[in-house]
């Protein structure tokens, strides 16, 4: 049974969804004012892993992610370029979807842009005003009154009295307009810096604050109470605390059952962030290590709650490990024309698969313990390699192993090379045929033909080895 570390309780908790067989989850998505950096992407890899593992475990998953396409940063950047806001943000929204595709992050079922949900936000703000959780200040902005929410600060472990400066987050509103420094903006009244960016509302023209966006959109698609909410750990306070105050203030119901937070991706031991300027985008790292799966694999080798220190050395060693998977698959495919299958070998393999599957689910059920789950995968591969060494693997056994790998690769999505991004995408049968032609040419002492065929394999990224028992091949190092 799946257990998840819940930030709300600081404990591992057994996972039980609200609706049996169905999981509703929400991930705080990117602010689309620039290209995402690989720290941002690590959070979305976590959402993707969790979604894939829930699906693997038999759940239906409804996953929602927001795109923040209006805030100080997007407005400022679009003004600087002299283009309308939506035109400006569209490009970055598309860029992150391209990154998702490269990393095999399956796109969330619902991707919701803030600017397309302004009426939902206005409605929620109105409810908070009606219930006494919000007030309109002299500057016409509407603020959340944190003193009205009994448990404000509890989720983040922050005492209300300790709140000196604001939970106002990303909106720089004038502090003196608020009753309390911790009060945060729900609706920011228009000012001249906003230019053409504003919406009409019962509270006057303006735009929504960042926090209300996530409350309004998550509840719209997932209901007032849902199962899992995810984000980077920097969002615990104030953003997630504020989401709780808004949603629970408005509905009187528990907002989210399980909160998951991803540890920071770091560079030279510092958080990777735009403000420190120590970031890489996916495109930048692909210039050095071209296979996107290396990054996916690297992120998954570390437990999601731990900070991971990024370097190109560890990215390259992730790629080297992926090469081992590819060569293992190549090795299995070369067993396809060897008559080595026996019922004993098949039974033995099935036993190894059962053990590997149990290890995989046990570790993943333990708060997505990916490093251990990957270690158990290596254990399995080593044992099958031994069977190949001992001439115990023919086509049936090879297929048993490949089927198992395909099954767990629905979650990992890094074992089988991606045809689009990995040069190791050639068909094993085609490679086998070229090798056979070369063998024939060598038998006929047609050395120039044999050389040509060897060169052809070389260009496909294939390295051959002539052994007394025949020719075997593997992928060349990238
Ligand atoms: P932003 O685009 O700044 O709203 O951030 C999008 C997501 O990336 C949020 O969930 C952040 O918590 C997360 N995030 C930002 N920097 C990092 C980092 N260095 N490591 C992990 N997550 C991060
Ligand atoms: Zn959010």
């Amino acid at each position: 049974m799946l257990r998840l570390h819940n930030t709300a309780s600081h404990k591992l908790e057994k996972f039980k969804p609200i609706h049996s067989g169905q999981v509703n989850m929400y991930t705080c998505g990117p602010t689309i004012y620039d290209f995402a950096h690989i720290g941002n992407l690590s959070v979305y890899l976590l959402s993707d892993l969790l979604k894939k593992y829930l699906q693997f475990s038999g759940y239906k998953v409804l996953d929602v992610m927001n795109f923040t396409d209006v805030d100080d940063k997007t407005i400022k950047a679009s003004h600087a370029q002299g283009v309308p806001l939506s035109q400006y943000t569209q490009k970055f929204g598309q860029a992150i979807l391209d990154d998702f595709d490269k990393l095999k992050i399956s796109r969330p079922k619902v991707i919701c842009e803030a600017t397309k949900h302004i009426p939902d936000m206005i409605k929620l703000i109105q409810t908070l005003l009606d219930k006494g959780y919000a007030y309109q200040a002299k500057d016409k902005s509407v603020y959340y009154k944190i003193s009205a929410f009994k448990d404000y600060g509890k989720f983040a472990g922050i005492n209300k009295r300790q709140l000196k400066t604001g939970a106002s987050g990303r909106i720089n509103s004038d502090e003196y307009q608020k009753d309390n420094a911790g009060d945060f903006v729900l609706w920011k009244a228009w000012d001249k810096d906003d230019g053409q960016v504003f919406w009409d509302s019962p509270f006057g023209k303006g735009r929504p604050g960042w926090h209300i966006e996530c409350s309004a959109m998550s509840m719209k698609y997932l209901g007032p109470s849902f199962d899992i909410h995810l984000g980077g750990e920097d969002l615990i306070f104030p953003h997630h605390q504020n989401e709780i105050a808004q949603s629970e203030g408005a509905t009187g119901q528990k907002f989210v059952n399980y909160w998951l937070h991803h540890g920071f991706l770091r560079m030279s031991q510092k958080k990777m962030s735009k403000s420190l300027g120590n970031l890489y985008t996916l495109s930048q790292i692909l210039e050095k290590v071209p296979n996107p799966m290396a990054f996916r694999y690297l992120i998954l080798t570390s437990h999601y709650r731990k900070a991971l220190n990024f370097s190109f050395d560890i990215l390259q060693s992730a790629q080297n490990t992926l090469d081992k998977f590819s060569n293992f698959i190549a090795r299995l495919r070369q067993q396809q024309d060897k008559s080595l299958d026996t019922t004993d070998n098949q039974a033995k393999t099935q036993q190894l698969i059962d053990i590997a599957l149990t290890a995989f689910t046990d570790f993943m059920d333990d708060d997505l313990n990916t490093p251990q789950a990957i270690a158990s995968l290596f254990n399995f591969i080593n044992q099958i390699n031994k069977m190949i060494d001992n001439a115990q693997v023919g086509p049936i056994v090879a297929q048993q192993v490949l089927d198992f790998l395909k099954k767990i690769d629905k979650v990992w999505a890094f074992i089988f090379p991606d045809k689009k991004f990995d040069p190791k995408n050639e068909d094993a049968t085609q490679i086998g045929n070229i090798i056979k032609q070369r063998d024939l040419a060598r038998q006929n002492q047609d050395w120039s033909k044999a050389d040509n065929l060897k060169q052809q394999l070389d260009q496909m990224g294939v390295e051959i080895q002539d052994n007394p028992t025949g020719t075997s091949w593997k992928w060349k190092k990238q």
Side-chain angles (χ1 to χ4, degrees):
M1 180 178 215
L2 177 60
R3 283 168 303 145
L4 295 171
H5 180 271
N6 191 349
T7 308
S9 65
H10 308 286
K11 284 193 187 112
L12 268 189
E13 292 180 15
K14 281 188 182 151
F15 176 69
K16 192 168 180 293
I18 296 170
H19 309 286
S20 146
Q22 160 84 38
V23 180
N24 288 349
M25 59 186 262
Y26 182 89
T27 302
C28 286
T31 306
I32 43 177
Y33 74 111
D34 202 345
F35 296 108
H37 62 71
I38 54 174
N40 306 137
L41 292 170
S42 66
V43 178
Y44 313 134
L45 277 168
L46 168 64
S47 311
D48 183 61
L49 175 80
L50 178 59
K51 168 173 146 178
K52 287 185 161 91
Y53 186 60
L54 288 166
Q55 287 169 334
F56 179 91
S57 310
Y59 292 106
K60 276 203 181 123
V61 180
L62 174 55
D63 58 330
V64 178
M65 182 184 288
N66 68 306
F67 276 11
T68 300
D69 60 349
V70 56
D71 76 333
D72 285 348
K73 288 184 276 190
T74 44
I75 294 174
K76 209 169 148 191
S78 70
H79 283 171
Q81 289 204 357
V83 293
L85 182 65
S86 62
Q87 191 183 322
Y88 178 82
T89 54
Q90 210 174 21
K91 171 174 148 198
F92 298 109
Q94 188 51 53
I96 198 159
L97 291 178
D98 293 344
D99 287 351
F100 283 10
D101 292 349
K102 286 184 188 151
L103 291 171
K104 292 207 203 150
I105 294 176
S106 71
R107 294 188 184 186
K109 283 219 177 89
V110 178
I111 292 179
C112 40
E113 286 120 339
T115 55
K116 299 205 174 112
H117 296 78
I118 305 288
D120 302 293
M121 298 176 209
I122 292 175
K123 207 167 134 202
L124 187 56
I125 296 170
Q126 189 61 57
T127 306
L128 290 169
L129 280 165
D130 296 345
K131 290 196 167 182
Y133 286 104
Y135 60 92
Q136 188 156 29
K138 271 192 249 123
D139 67 350
K140 294 275 184 255
S141 289
V142 179
Y143 295 95
Y144 190 96
K145 190 186 178 97
I146 61 164
S147 61
F149 188 71
K150 191 167 115 305
D151 286 336
Y152 192 87
K154 189 176 159 204
F155 171 76
I158 289 170
N159 186 318
K160 240 189 269 190
R161 267 164 289 153
Q162 293 170 339
L163 288 166
K164 291 191 207 84
T165 54
S168 52
R170 303 181 178 195
I171 306 287
N172 302 318
S173 29
D174 296 334
E175 295 293 327
Y176 59 83
Q177 298 283 2
K178 300 189 269 180
D179 291 356
N180 179 314
D183 290 352
F184 57 91
V185 77
L186 298 169
W187 186 259
K188 186 172 185 296
W190 181 87
D191 70 29
K192 62 179 179 354
D193 290 342
D194 292 336
Q196 294 302 309
V197 181
F198 64 85
W199 288 264
D200 288 319
S201 80
F203 346 107
K205 73 179 189 178
R207 60 182 162 100
W210 170 46
H211 311 297
I212 200 72
E213 176 190 316
C214 283
S215 282
M217 297 198 288
S218 60
M219 295 198 292
K220 177 183 173 108
Y221 293 104
L222 302 172
S225 295
F226 58 92
D227 300 305
I228 305 175
H229 194 313
L230 273 131
E233 66 183 8
D234 54 338
L235 300 187
I236 298 173
F237 188 82
H239 185 52
H240 290 159
Q241 176 65 74
N242 291 353
E243 280 189 43
I244 293 171
Q246 294 166 154
S247 298
E248 299 191 356
T251 69
Q253 297 180 47
K254 189 175 181 193
F255 177 44
V256 168
N257 283 341
Y258 303 87
W259 288 89
L260 265 65
H261 289 97
H262 196 283
F264 287 142
L265 190 68
R266 294 163 157 251
M267 271 291 290
S268 318
Q269 306 300 344
K270 289 199 188 83
K271 181 195 168 191
M272 184 176 286
S273 70
K274 181 112 179 142
S275 52
L276 291 175
N278 59 348
L279 55 81
Y280 287 109
T281 62
L282 184 62
S283 314
Q284 284 169 332
I285 63 167
L286 294 183
E287 282 168 21
K288 294 208 179 165
V289 179
N291 180 7
M293 285 312 103
F295 181 66
R296 182 179 178 97
Y297 177 73
L298 173 63
I299 291 299
L300 299 183
T301 54
S302 168
H303 189 258
Y304 76 88
R305 285 197 289 124
K306 279 207 186 121
L308 173 68
N309 203 40
F310 177 82
S311 71
F312 281 102
D313 283 349
I314 58 169
L315 185 64
Q316 185 56 52
S317 64
Q319 177 58 55
N320 298 346
T321 310
L322 289 185
D323 289 343
K324 286 190 189 148
F325 291 131
S326 308
N327 276 323
F328 178 61
I329 292 163
R331 217 178 163 207
L332 284 172
R333 294 208 158 121
Q334 288 170 73
Q335 301 308 108
Q336 261 147 1
D337 51 4
K338 298 187 181 154
S339 41
L340 299 170
D341 288 318
T342 64
T343 44
D344 272 2
N345 291 339
Q346 289 170 48
K348 182 179 171 186
T349 308
Q350 193 51 51
Q351 221 173 16
L352 291 175
I353 288 174
D354 291 345
I355 294 168
L357 186 61
T358 306
F360 172 71
T361 51
D362 282 354
F363 287 127
M364 292 298 278
D365 278 348
D366 181 21
D367 196 28
L368 306 175
N369 192 339
T370 51
Q372 292 286 354
I374 290 173
S376 73
L377 173 63
F378 276 116
N379 198 12
F380 171 75
I381 290 178
N382 288 341
Q383 302 193 57
I384 301 295
N385 264 326
K386 266 189 214 134
M387 286 182 67
I388 302 178
D389 294 343
N390 296 337
Q392 293 176 312
V393 178
I396 298 177
V397 169
Q399 197 55 49
Q400 274 176 291
V401 176
L402 285 167
D403 288 347
F404 168 66
L405 293 179
K406 275 187 197 140
K407 184 169 168 175
I408 56 168
D409 207 36
K410 290 212 166 88
V411 180
W412 291 130
F414 56 61
I415 299 177
F416 287 86
D418 186 326
K419 289 207 181 344
K420 274 192 285 226
F421 301 108
D422 195 320
K424 293 189 284 296
N425 62 1
E426 303 292 344
D427 190 340
T429 327
Q430 193 194 347
I431 293 169
N433 286 339
I434 300 174
I435 290 175
K436 272 185 205 143
Q437 285 177 42
R438 177 175 167 270
D439 286 346
L440 201 68
R442 276 157 41 107
Q443 275 167 31
N444 297 336
Q445 303 197 340
D446 186 349
W447 306 118
S448 78
K449 184 168 182 192
D451 272 356
N452 282 343
L453 289 163
K454 190 177 176 186
Q455 257 174 35
Q456 195 180 331
L457 289 165
D458 189 65
Q459 276 161 15
M460 290 163 84
V462 172
E463 187 180 308
I464 51 174
Q465 213 175 9
D466 295 314
N467 315 309
T469 50
T471 307
S472 66
W473 63 270
K474 61 178 195 168
W475 298 110
K476 281 190 302 192
K477 227 170 156 294
Q478 266 190 15

